[in-house]
Amino acid sequence: GEDVEQSLFLSVREGDSSVINCTYTDSSSTYLYWYKQEPGAGLQLLTYIFSNMDMKQDQRLTVLLNKKDKHLSLRIADTQTGDSAIYFCAEGSRSQGNLIFGKGTKLSVKP
Amino acid sequence: DGGITQSPKYLFRKEGQNVTLSCEQNLNHDAMYWYRQDPGQGLRLIYYSQIVNDFQKGDIAEGYSVSREKKESFPLTVTSAQKNPTAFYLCASSDQGGAETQYFGPGTRLLVL
């Protein structure tokens, strides 16, 4: 079946940039998503990118998509302690009934 | 105020008991989903529904049941057949199924007494 892979942990210092990576297998993916989950809460949509785009920027967030390598990344500029959370990558295609989620990357931001 | 609500926030189940988790949305979305989250496991799909009076099993449907009698409601019952129900349960909805953006509720944590 289709799969989405992410590294489980990332630790950065406050003020540095964070880069969270994701790989997926479904070549028919049309949308790719990044969600953020704070402790004890639901998932919050951060941003998404269409599969015909290479890059999307939204304030401190930059999403890069390499469709050839099926690689997606989320860059957070000037990372703050409030960015500490679990970040989920997800992909969806029109042929699927739902999104496929990665296991999540836990971002820890040290002051 | 549009969104997805889940209740209760915490739920305790005694052995052999069925419990029902509530999920309501006022976003006028057609599709709704239930996920289970265990530490380090990410999200696993339990059931989803793309339209009223229809639903499909996800990856881990055994020991769970759902109904979709109204567009805005998608309750999940954790039955006594589910031997390891302790987890965080998340409900989501989307305008349509497939690749559409999903919006999540705040979650219900189920604990076994």
Side-chain angles (χ1 to χ4, degrees):
Chain A
E2 306 305 341
D3 199 14
V4 175
E5 298 280 342
Q6 300 177 241
S7 54
L8 293 181
F9 300 99
L10 177 65
S11 181
V12 300
R13 292 220 170 268
E14 192 174 17
D16 288 349
S17 291
S18 308
V19 179
I20 303 172
N21 294 301
C22 170
T23 57
Y24 59 97
T25 58
D26 187 355
S27 56
S28 66
S29 292
T30 51
Y31 297 83
L32 293 130
Y33 298 89
W34 284 106
Y35 286 86
K36 176 183 180 182
Q37 186 183 33
E38 296 182 0
L43 273 66
Q44 171 195 352
L45 176 69
L46 276 181
T47 186
Y48 63 92
I49 189 167
F50 295 108
S51 59
N52 62 359
M53 296 169 66
D54 298 323
M55 185 181 90
K56 181 178 181 181
Q57 189 150 4
D58 184 1
Q59 298 183 336
R60 290 191 299 124
L61 305 179
T62 303
V63 178
L64 295 178
L65 175 61
N66 181 329
K67 196 172 179 182
K68 174 176 167 289
D69 294 338
K70 299 192 186 71
H71 182 267
L72 182 74
S73 68
L74 173 70
R75 178 176 179 269
I76 306 173
D78 188 25
T79 312
Q80 303 297 308
T81 54
D83 295 323
S84 293
I86 300 176
Y87 291 80
F88 290 92
C89 169
E91 61 98 2
S93 70
R94 297 200 187 280
S95 61
Q96 294 171 11
N98 54 276
L99 301 183
I100 308 297
F101 287 85
K103 287 186 166 41
T105 299
K106 185 173 183 178
L107 174 64
S108 298
V109 182
K110 300 186 187 314
Chain B
D1 227 1
I4 304 175
T5 56
Q6 291 186 242
S7 62
K9 188 171 174 65
Y10 296 95
L11 186 57
F12 298 91
R13 192 190 94 162
K14 294 180 183 176
E15 204 157 326
Q17 187 182 42
N18 291 355
V19 291
T20 297
L21 285 62
S22 167
C23 178
E24 304 275 331
Q25 54 98 0
N26 61 3
L27 300 168
N28 200 33
H29 284 168
D30 283 322
M32 296 186 75
Y33 310 81
W34 274 106
Y35 294 92
R36 171 178 170 143
Q37 186 177 26
D38 296 281
Q41 293 291 321
L43 301 179
R44 292 186 288 170
L45 182 66
I46 305 173
Y47 269 98
Y48 65 101
S49 167
Q50 296 192 326
I51 198 165
V52 174
N53 292 323
D54 188 44
F55 48 82
Q56 286 79 41
K57 292 182 179 180
D59 301 318
I60 55 163
E62 189 175 344
Y64 299 97
S65 67
V66 293
S67 63
R68 186 88 188 276
E69 295 175 4
K70 297 188 294 184
K71 188 175 185 177
E72 58 269 24
S73 178
F74 191 39
L76 173 75
T77 296
V78 183
T79 75
S80 56
Q82 174 49 246
K83 298 305 179 191
N84 183 22
T86 298
F88 191 50
Y89 291 86
L90 287 161
C91 179
S93 71
S94 65
D95 194 20
Q96 299 168 33
E100 297 288 326
T101 305
Q102 291 184 16
Y103 297 90
F104 284 79
T108 292
R109 187 164 298 280
L110 177 59
L111 299 162
V112 176
L113 293 176

mmCIF file of all heavy atoms in Angstrom, chain B residues 80-96:
data_model
loop_
_atom_site.group_PDB
_atom_site.id
_atom_site.type_symbol
_atom_site.label_atom_id
_atom_site.label_comp_id
_atom_site.label_asym_id
_atom_site.label_seq_id
_atom_site.Cartn_x
_atom_site.Cartn_y
_atom_site.Cartn_z
ATOM 1 N N SER B 80 -16.656 -3.983 23.521
ATOM 2 C CA SER B 80 -15.893 -4.829 24.436
ATOM 3 C C SER B 80 -14.941 -5.755 23.670
ATOM 4 O O SER B 80 -14.020 -6.311 24.260
ATOM 5 C CB SER B 80 -16.839 -5.645 25.306
ATOM 6 O OG SER B 80 -17.709 -6.408 24.502
ATOM 7 N N ALA B 81 -15.150 -5.895 22.366
ATOM 8 C CA ALA B 81 -14.264 -6.734 21.556
ATOM 9 C C ALA B 81 -12.910 -6.074 21.312
ATOM 10 O O ALA B 81 -11.951 -6.745 20.917
ATOM 11 C CB ALA B 81 -14.926 -7.043 20.208
ATOM 12 N N GLN B 82 -12.825 -4.763 21.558
ATOM 13 C CA GLN B 82 -11.555 -4.049 21.395
ATOM 14 C C GLN B 82 -10.755 -4.243 22.679
ATOM 15 O O GLN B 82 -11.058 -3.626 23.702
ATOM 16 C CB GLN B 82 -11.807 -2.582 21.098
ATOM 17 C CG GLN B 82 -10.569 -1.684 21.055
ATOM 18 C CD GLN B 82 -9.440 -2.216 20.206
ATOM 19 O OE1 GLN B 82 -8.372 -2.559 20.706
ATOM 20 N NE2 GLN B 82 -9.666 -2.317 18.919
ATOM 21 N N LYS B 83 -9.730 -5.084 22.626
ATOM 22 C CA LYS B 83 -9.029 -5.492 23.847
ATOM 23 C C LYS B 83 -8.022 -4.476 24.348
ATOM 24 O O LYS B 83 -7.598 -4.534 25.497
ATOM 25 C CB LYS B 83 -8.326 -6.841 23.611
ATOM 26 C CG LYS B 83 -9.289 -7.975 23.295
ATOM 27 C CD LYS B 83 -10.358 -8.114 24.372
ATOM 28 C CE LYS B 83 -11.334 -9.222 24.046
ATOM 29 N NZ LYS B 83 -12.521 -9.183 24.938
ATOM 30 N N ASN B 84 -7.605 -3.576 23.498
ATOM 31 C CA ASN B 84 -6.619 -2.579 23.909
ATOM 32 C C ASN B 84 -7.102 -1.194 23.489
ATOM 33 O O ASN B 84 -6.538 -0.586 22.579
ATOM 34 C CB ASN B 84 -5.262 -2.905 23.277
ATOM 35 C CG ASN B 84 -4.186 -1.950 23.731
ATOM 36 O OD1 ASN B 84 -4.289 -1.309 24.781
ATOM 37 N ND2 ASN B 84 -3.135 -1.821 22.935
ATOM 38 N N PRO B 85 -8.148 -0.672 24.142
ATOM 39 C CA PRO B 85 -8.758 0.561 23.658
ATOM 40 C C PRO B 85 -8.076 1.839 24.119
ATOM 41 O O PRO B 85 -8.418 2.921 23.628
ATOM 42 C CB PRO B 85 -10.175 0.494 24.237
ATOM 43 C CG PRO B 85 -9.983 -0.246 25.524
ATOM 44 C CD PRO B 85 -8.904 -1.244 25.272
ATOM 45 N N THR B 86 -7.133 1.764 25.047
ATOM 46 C CA THR B 86 -6.494 2.977 25.569
ATOM 47 C C THR B 86 -5.730 3.685 24.463
ATOM 48 O O THR B 86 -4.786 3.139 23.906
ATOM 49 C CB THR B 86 -5.542 2.618 26.722
ATOM 50 O OG1 THR B 86 -6.296 2.038 27.779
ATOM 51 C CG2 THR B 86 -4.816 3.854 27.234
ATOM 52 N N ALA B 87 -6.162 4.892 24.128
ATOM 53 C CA ALA B 87 -5.557 5.655 23.036
ATOM 54 C C ALA B 87 -6.190 7.036 22.998
ATOM 55 O O ALA B 87 -7.128 7.335 23.730
ATOM 56 C CB ALA B 87 -5.774 4.944 21.689
ATOM 57 N N PHE B 88 -5.679 7.856 22.100
ATOM 58 C CA PHE B 88 -6.233 9.182 21.817
ATOM 59 C C PHE B 88 -6.994 9.049 20.491
ATOM 60 O O PHE B 88 -6.441 8.576 19.494
ATOM 61 C CB PHE B 88 -5.080 10.182 21.701
ATOM 62 C CG PHE B 88 -5.480 11.620 21.663
ATOM 63 C CD1 PHE B 88 -6.349 12.152 22.607
ATOM 64 C CD2 PHE B 88 -4.966 12.473 20.706
ATOM 65 C CE1 PHE B 88 -6.712 13.484 22.592
ATOM 66 C CE2 PHE B 88 -5.307 13.818 20.674
ATOM 67 C CZ PHE B 88 -6.181 14.326 21.617
ATOM 68 N N TYR B 89 -8.281 9.426 20.500
ATOM 69 C CA TYR B 89 -9.126 9.258 19.321
ATOM 70 C C TYR B 89 -9.415 10.613 18.693
ATOM 71 O O TYR B 89 -9.871 11.543 19.362
ATOM 72 C CB TYR B 89 -10.434 8.554 19.691
ATOM 73 C CG TYR B 89 -10.208 7.107 20.071
ATOM 74 C CD1 TYR B 89 -9.872 6.753 21.375
ATOM 75 C CD2 TYR B 89 -10.293 6.099 19.115
ATOM 76 C CE1 TYR B 89 -9.641 5.420 21.710
ATOM 77 C CE2 TYR B 89 -10.069 4.764 19.450
ATOM 78 C CZ TYR B 89 -9.740 4.453 20.743
ATOM 79 O OH TYR B 89 -9.502 3.129 21.076
ATOM 80 N N LEU B 90 -9.169 10.697 17.406
ATOM 81 C CA LEU B 90 -9.339 11.947 16.675
ATOM 82 C C LEU B 90 -10.389 11.781 15.581
ATOM 83 O O LEU B 90 -10.370 10.812 14.827
ATOM 84 C CB LEU B 90 -8.019 12.372 16.037
ATOM 85 C CG LEU B 90 -6.974 12.893 17.018
ATOM 86 C CD1 LEU B 90 -5.596 12.837 16.408
ATOM 87 C CD2 LEU B 90 -7.302 14.311 17.429
ATOM 88 N N CYS B 91 -11.273 12.754 15.515
ATOM 89 C CA CYS B 91 -12.289 12.811 14.470
ATOM 90 C C CYS B 91 -11.901 13.928 13.500
ATOM 91 O O CYS B 91 -11.325 14.947 13.909
ATOM 92 C CB CYS B 91 -13.645 13.093 15.107
ATOM 93 S SG CYS B 91 -15.006 13.235 13.941
ATOM 94 N N ALA B 92 -12.189 13.739 12.231
ATOM 95 C CA ALA B 92 -11.894 14.754 11.225
ATOM 96 C C ALA B 92 -13.021 14.813 10.209
ATOM 97 O O ALA B 92 -13.823 13.868 10.100
ATOM 98 C CB ALA B 92 -10.562 14.455 10.530
ATOM 99 N N SER B 93 -13.086 15.903 9.472
ATOM 100 C CA SER B 93 -14.052 15.996 8.385
ATOM 101 C C SER B 93 -13.409 16.703 7.205
ATOM 102 O O SER B 93 -12.408 17.418 7.350
ATOM 103 C CB SER B 93 -15.322 16.745 8.831
ATOM 104 O OG SER B 93 -15.063 18.119 9.000
ATOM 105 N N SER B 94 -13.963 16.472 6.026
ATOM 106 C CA SER B 94 -13.505 17.165 4.824
ATOM 107 C C SER B 94 -14.700 17.423 3.920
ATOM 108 O O SER B 94 -15.720 16.728 4.012
ATOM 109 C CB SER B 94 -12.429 16.358 4.089
ATOM 110 O OG SER B 94 -12.943 15.138 3.601
ATOM 111 N N ASP B 95 -14.550 18.396 3.038
ATOM 112 C CA ASP B 95 -15.649 18.774 2.163
ATOM 113 C C ASP B 95 -16.114 17.571 1.340
ATOM 114 O O ASP B 95 -17.297 17.291 1.214
ATOM 115 C CB ASP B 95 -15.182 19.909 1.264
ATOM 116 C CG ASP B 95 -16.343 20.582 0.555
ATOM 117 O OD1 ASP B 95 -17.486 20.444 1.025
ATOM 118 O OD2 ASP B 95 -16.121 21.239 -0.473
ATOM 119 N N GLN B 96 -15.137 16.867 0.782
ATOM 120 C CA GLN B 96 -15.400 15.613 0.103
ATOM 121 C C GLN B 96 -14.318 14.642 0.532
ATOM 122 O O GLN B 96 -13.410 15.009 1.255
ATOM 123 C CB GLN B 96 -15.335 15.799 -1.421
ATOM 124 C CG GLN B 96 -16.346 16.775 -1.960
ATOM 125 C CD GLN B 96 -16.043 17.143 -3.397
ATOM 126 O OE1 GLN B 96 -15.537 16.324 -4.164
ATOM 127 N NE2 GLN B 96 -16.333 18.360 -3.777
#
